[in-house]
Coordinates of all heavy atoms in Angstrom, one line a residue:
V1 N 0.8 -1.2 0.0 CA 0.0 0.0 0.0 C 0.9 1.3 0.0 O 1.8 1.4 0.8 CB -0.9 0.0 1.2 CG1 -1.7 1.3 1.3 CG2 -1.9 -1.2 1.2
L2 N 0.5 2.2 -0.9 CA 1.0 3.5 -0.8 C 0.0 4.5 -0.1 O -1.1 4.6 -0.6 CB 1.3 4.1 -2.2 CG 1.6 5.6 -2.4 CD1 2.9 5.9 -1.6 CD2 1.7 6.0 -3.8
D3 N 0.4 5.1 1.0 CA -0.4 6.1 1.6 C 0.1 7.5 1.1 O 1.2 8.0 1.4 CB -0.2 6.0 3.1 CG -1.1 7.0 3.9 OD1 -1.7 7.9 3.2 OD2 -1.2 6.9 5.1
Y4 N -0.7 8.0 0.2 CA -0.3 9.3 -0.5 C -0.9 10.4 0.3 O -2.1 10.5 0.5 CB -0.9 9.3 -2.0 CG -0.5 10.5 -2.7 CD1 0.7 10.5 -3.4 CD2 -1.2 11.7 -2.7 CE1 1.1 11.7 -4.1 CE2 -0.9 12.8 -3.4 CZ 0.3 12.8 -4.1 OH 0.7 14.0 -4.7
G5 N 0.0 11.4 0.7 CA -0.4 12.5 1.5 C -0.6 12.0 2.9 O -1.6 12.3 3.6
C6 N 0.4 11.3 3.5 CA 0.2 10.5 4.7 C 0.1 11.4 6.0 O -0.3 11.0 7.0 CB 1.4 9.6 4.9 SG 3.0 10.3 4.9
G7 N 0.6 12.7 5.8 CA 0.6 13.6 7.0 C 1.4 13.0 8.1 O 2.5 12.5 7.9
L8 N 0.9 13.0 9.3 CA 1.6 12.5 10.5 C 1.4 11.0 10.7 O 1.9 10.5 11.7 CB 1.1 13.3 11.8 CG 1.4 14.8 11.8 CD1 0.8 15.4 13.0 CD2 2.9 15.0 11.7
G9 N 0.6 10.4 9.8 CA 0.4 8.9 9.9 C -0.9 8.6 10.5 O -1.2 8.9 11.6
T10 N -1.7 7.8 9.7 CA -3.0 7.4 10.2 C -3.0 6.0 10.9 O -3.8 5.8 11.7 CB -3.9 7.3 8.9 OG1 -4.1 8.6 8.4 CG2 -5.3 6.7 9.3
W11 N -2.0 5.2 10.5 CA -2.0 3.8 10.9 C -1.4 3.6 12.3 O -0.5 4.2 12.7 CB -1.2 3.0 9.9 CG -1.5 3.4 8.5 CD1 -0.9 4.3 7.7 CD2 -2.6 3.0 7.7 NE1 -1.5 4.4 6.5 CE2 -2.6 3.6 6.5 CE3 -3.7 2.1 8.0 CZ2 -3.5 3.4 5.5 CZ3 -4.6 1.8 7.0 CH2 -4.5 2.5 5.7
N12 N -2.0 2.6 13.0 CA -1.5 2.1 14.3 C -0.5 1.0 14.0 O -0.9 0.1 13.2 CB -2.6 1.7 15.2 CG -2.2 1.4 16.6 OD1 -1.1 0.9 16.8 ND2 -3.1 1.8 17.5
N13 N 0.6 1.0 14.6 CA 1.6 -0.1 14.3 C 1.2 -1.4 14.8 O 1.7 -2.4 14.4 CB 2.9 0.3 15.0 CG 3.8 1.1 14.0 OD1 3.9 0.8 12.8 ND2 4.4 2.2 14.6
E14 N 0.2 -1.4 15.8 CA -0.2 -2.7 16.4 C -1.4 -3.3 15.6 O -2.5 -2.7 15.6 CB -0.6 -2.4 17.8 CG 0.5 -1.8 18.7 CD 0.0 -1.5 20.1 OE1 -1.1 -1.9 20.5 OE2 0.8 -0.8 20.8
I15 N -1.1 -4.4 15.0 CA -2.1 -5.1 14.2 C -3.4 -5.4 15.0 O -4.5 -5.3 14.5 CB -1.6 -6.4 13.6 CG1 -0.4 -6.0 12.6 CG2 -2.6 -7.2 12.8 CD1 0.3 -7.2 12.0
E16 N -3.2 -5.8 16.3 CA -4.3 -6.2 17.1 C -5.3 -5.0 17.3 O -6.4 -5.1 17.7 CB -3.9 -6.8 18.4 CG -3.0 -5.9 19.3 CD -1.5 -6.0 19.0 OE1 -1.2 -6.4 17.9 OE2 -0.8 -5.8 20.0
N17 N -4.8 -3.8 17.1 CA -5.6 -2.6 17.3 C -6.1 -2.1 15.9 O -6.3 -0.9 15.8 CB -4.8 -1.5 18.0 CG -4.5 -1.8 19.5 OD1 -5.3 -2.6 20.0 ND2 -3.5 -1.3 20.0
N18 N -6.2 -3.0 15.0 CA -6.7 -2.6 13.6 C -5.8 -1.6 13.0 O -6.3 -0.7 12.3 CB -8.2 -2.1 13.7 CG -9.2 -3.1 14.1 OD1 -9.3 -4.2 13.5 ND2 -9.9 -2.9 15.2
G19 N -4.5 -1.8 13.1 CA -3.6 -0.9 12.5 C -3.2 -1.3 11.2 O -4.0 -1.3 10.2
I20 N -1.9 -1.7 11.0 CA -1.4 -2.1 9.7 C -1.8 -3.6 9.4 O -1.2 -4.5 10.0 CB 0.1 -1.8 9.6 CG1 0.3 -0.3 9.7 CG2 0.7 -2.3 8.3 CD1 1.8 0.1 9.9
F21 N -2.7 -3.8 8.5 CA -3.2 -5.2 8.3 C -2.9 -5.6 6.8 O -3.7 -6.3 6.2 CB -4.7 -5.2 8.6 CG -5.5 -4.1 8.0 CD1 -6.0 -4.1 6.7 CD2 -5.7 -2.9 8.8 CE1 -6.7 -3.1 6.2 CE2 -6.4 -1.9 8.2 CZ -6.9 -1.9 7.0
F22 N -1.8 -5.2 6.2 CA -1.5 -5.5 4.9 C 0.0 -5.9 4.8 O 0.7 -5.9 5.9 CB -1.8 -4.4 3.9 CG -1.7 -3.0 4.5 CD1 -0.4 -2.4 4.6 CD2 -2.8 -2.3 5.0 CE1 -0.3 -1.2 5.1 CE2 -2.6 -1.1 5.5 CZ -1.4 -0.5 5.6
N23 N 0.5 -6.1 3.7 CA 1.9 -6.7 3.6 C 3.0 -5.6 3.8 O 3.9 -5.8 4.6 CB 2.1 -7.3 2.2 CG 3.5 -7.9 2.0 OD1 3.9 -8.6 2.9 ND2 4.1 -7.6 0.9
K24 N 2.9 -4.5 3.0 CA 4.0 -3.5 3.1 C 3.3 -2.1 3.0 O 2.3 -1.9 2.3 CB 4.9 -3.8 1.9 CG 6.2 -2.9 1.9 CD 7.1 -3.2 0.7 CE 7.6 -4.6 0.7 NZ 8.6 -4.9 -0.4
L25 N 3.9 -1.2 3.7 CA 3.4 0.2 3.7 C 4.5 1.2 3.2 O 5.6 1.2 3.7 CB 3.0 0.6 5.1 CG 2.4 2.0 5.3 CD1 1.2 2.3 4.4 CD2 2.2 2.3 6.7
F26 N 4.1 1.9 2.1 CA 4.9 3.1 1.7 C 4.2 4.3 2.1 O 3.0 4.4 1.9 CB 5.1 3.0 0.2 CG 5.9 1.9 -0.4 CD1 5.3 0.6 -0.6 CD2 7.2 2.0 -0.6 CE1 6.0 -0.4 -1.1 CE2 8.0 0.9 -1.1 CZ 7.3 -0.3 -1.3
L27 N 4.9 5.3 2.6 CA 4.3 6.6 3.0 C 4.9 7.7 2.3 O 6.2 7.8 2.2 CB 4.4 6.8 4.5 CG 3.8 5.7 5.4 CD1 4.9 5.0 6.1 CD2 2.8 6.3 6.4
Y28 N 4.1 8.6 1.7 CA 4.6 9.8 1.0 C 3.8 11.0 1.4 O 2.5 11.0 1.5 CB 4.5 9.6 -0.5 CG 4.8 10.9 -1.2 CD1 6.1 11.3 -1.4 CD2 3.8 11.7 -1.7 CE1 6.4 12.5 -2.0 CE2 4.1 12.9 -2.4 CZ 5.4 13.3 -2.5 OH 5.7 14.5 -3.1
D29 N 4.5 12.1 1.6 CA 3.9 13.4 1.8 C 4.8 14.5 1.2 O 6.0 14.3 1.3 CB 3.6 13.7 3.3 CG 2.6 14.8 3.5 OD1 2.9 16.0 3.3 OD2 1.4 14.5 3.8
K30 N 4.3 15.5 0.7 CA 5.1 16.6 0.1 C 5.9 17.3 1.2 O 6.9 17.9 1.0 CB 4.2 17.6 -0.7 CG 3.8 17.1 -2.0 CD 3.2 18.2 -2.9 CE 2.9 17.7 -4.3 NZ 2.2 18.7 -5.1
N31 N 5.3 17.3 2.4 CA 5.9 18.0 3.5 C 7.1 17.2 4.1 O 6.9 16.1 4.6 CB 4.9 18.3 4.6 CG 5.4 19.2 5.7 OD1 6.6 19.3 5.9 ND2 4.5 19.8 6.4
P32 N 8.3 17.7 4.0 CA 9.5 16.9 4.6 C 9.3 16.7 6.1 O 9.8 15.7 6.6 CB 10.7 17.8 4.2 CG 10.1 19.2 3.9 CD 8.8 19.0 3.4
E33 N 8.7 17.6 6.8 CA 8.5 17.4 8.3 C 7.6 16.2 8.5 O 7.8 15.5 9.4 CB 7.9 18.7 8.9 CG 8.8 19.9 8.9 CD 8.1 21.1 9.5 OE1 7.7 21.0 10.7 OE2 7.9 22.1 8.8
A34 N 6.6 16.1 7.7 CA 5.7 14.9 7.8 C 6.4 13.6 7.6 O 6.3 12.6 8.3 CB 4.5 15.1 6.9
R35 N 7.3 13.7 6.5 CA 8.1 12.5 6.2 C 9.0 12.1 7.3 O 9.1 10.9 7.7 CB 8.8 12.7 4.9 CG 7.9 12.9 3.7 CD 8.7 12.6 2.4 NE 9.8 13.5 2.2 CZ 9.8 14.7 1.6 NH1 8.6 15.1 1.1 NH2 10.9 15.4 1.4
E36 N 9.7 13.1 7.9 CA 10.6 12.8 9.0 C 9.8 12.2 10.2 O 10.3 11.3 10.9 CB 11.3 14.1 9.4 CG 12.4 14.5 8.4 CD 13.4 13.4 8.2 OE1 13.9 12.8 9.2 OE2 13.7 13.1 7.0

């Protein structure tokens, strides 16, 4: 999955909390602060 315009991040790292439930996550935002 590509999260386009990810901002500060929507996903929870913990799968049991309905967070990241797919194979691989790519995150992109135009804002370098958001990426960092």
